[in-house]
Amino acid sequence: MTAKVVAFRRIWIGLIIILVLGGCSGENAGSGDKAAAHGSGGPAFSVLVGDRDLSGNAARQVSEAYLDGNTLLELFSNSKVVTFYSGREGIVDVNRVYLSAPLGWELQVNGKVITDMTAPVKREDTVVFAARPAPGKQMPQFVVLTLNGGSEQPELSHSVVLPYEEDMTVRSLLKNNGMVELAEDNKTLVKVMGYTPLSSEVWKLEVNDKGLRDNGIDMMLKPQDELEIVLALR
């Protein structure tokens, strides 16, 4: 495990703890191919948060890792799409998508909720991880903040699901999430997760896959919007 990955995990585990303790006032995993279809090798796989599919390339990883006779736990471990806490006591992330409280991951196979990960999984199965609130609670409004490090800094790529707040803008989300450093003009991204772009690189912003110009930083966000920070070449 590289030093950058270790640092990444420490930063975001700390952030998740802060979100939980603070009542959540305020995870490329979600980028790339959004389709989670049956591959030739294994089950279909999706990562759903509300109406958003944040599967990225995980469907391909699951398909390629599948072996006949696999349990769900073996499949997730072999494909590396799920990170568990020590001792398998809960899920840290699915496809590097992190949930803030009160959301948690619900595992479904062929539309049925599964709690036993030692259950076998078949090649023709449909496997879904869906973000769900605690039992008896309503699904909260949320936004998705995604960091896409591209091919140069892939270890930075992840998404985090954050509570939506009234009158939330791109700027307010960037300023209040704890991983972005803005320049004095409050428009230019200087560092993200401690990484400063090279002279040939730049951080760019997209909302729902559409690029933002400078004045777009004051754009009002809506529930289920995805703000993506992309490391791109100039």
Side-chain angles (χ1 to χ4, degrees):
M1 184 177 292
T2 66
K4 288 183 178 179
V5 173
V6 171
F8 162 82
R9 293 198 180 282
R10 287 176 177 171
I11 290 170
W12 269 110
I13 289 173
L15 174 59
I16 292 169
I17 292 172
I18 291 170
L19 287 168
V20 172
L21 294 179
C24 298
S25 60
E27 311 175 64
N28 170 333
S31 302
D33 180 12
K34 303 277 183 175
H38 278 286
S40 59
F45 183 79
S46 298
V47 181
L48 302 180
V49 181
D51 295 332
R52 288 197 168 274
D53 185 344
L54 301 179
S55 304
N57 293 322
R60 176 179 54 80
Q61 290 175 242
V62 167
S63 179
E64 292 177 349
Y66 178 76
L67 296 173
D68 288 333
N70 269 167
T71 65
L72 289 163
L73 181 58
E74 288 169 338
L75 179 60
F76 299 146
S77 298
N78 293 341
S79 62
K80 304 186 187 305
V81 299
V82 180
T83 305
F84 296 92
Y85 287 106
S86 177
R88 308 291 185 190
E89 298 295 330
I91 294 173
V92 179
D93 69 89
V94 179
N95 195 34
R96 303 194 81 178
V97 179
Y98 297 80
L99 301 178
S100 58
L103 294 175
W105 290 112
E106 177 183 271
L107 174 60
Q108 304 170 6
V109 178
N110 301 328
K112 296 182 179 180
V113 177
I114 301 295
T115 57
D116 181 9
M117 288 204 181
T118 64
V121 58
K122 299 177 182 178
R123 190 178 302 275
E124 63 271 19
D125 284 342
T126 297
V127 180
V128 176
F129 272 101
R132 293 285 188 263
K137 301 294 184 180
Q138 291 186 338
M139 185 71 179
Q141 293 186 327
F142 65 87
V143 292
V144 179
L145 177 61
T146 293
L147 173 56
N148 185 349
S151 59
E152 296 301 316
Q153 298 294 324
E155 69 276 15
L156 296 180
S157 297
H158 69 284
S159 296
V160 60
V161 181
L162 298 167
Y164 172 80
E165 296 181 352
E166 189 175 356
D167 298 328
M168 178 180 276
T169 64
V170 171
R171 189 199 304 272
S172 66
L173 180 54
L174 291 173
K175 291 183 68 174
N176 295 327
N177 70 76
M179 75 173 188
V180 176
E181 180 181 332
L182 294 175
E184 292 184 359
D185 62 6
N186 276 327
K187 293 182 179 181
T188 307
L189 278 66
V190 178
K191 293 182 181 180
V192 181
M193 293 292 294
Y195 181 77
T196 302
L198 303 176
S199 59
S200 59
E201 300 171 333
V202 63
W203 290 114
K204 292 188 176 181
L205 297 174
E206 297 181 359
V207 173
N208 302 331
D209 300 320
K210 295 182 179 179
L212 294 183
R213 298 182 181 276
D214 288 345
N215 57 359
I217 200 166
D218 291 314
M219 174 183 175
M220 299 288 293
L221 295 172
K222 304 184 299 297
Q224 298 202 43
D225 277 349
E226 181 181 11
L227 172 59
E228 185 172 10
I229 306 171
V230 184
L231 183 63
L233 296 177
R234 291 183 181 276

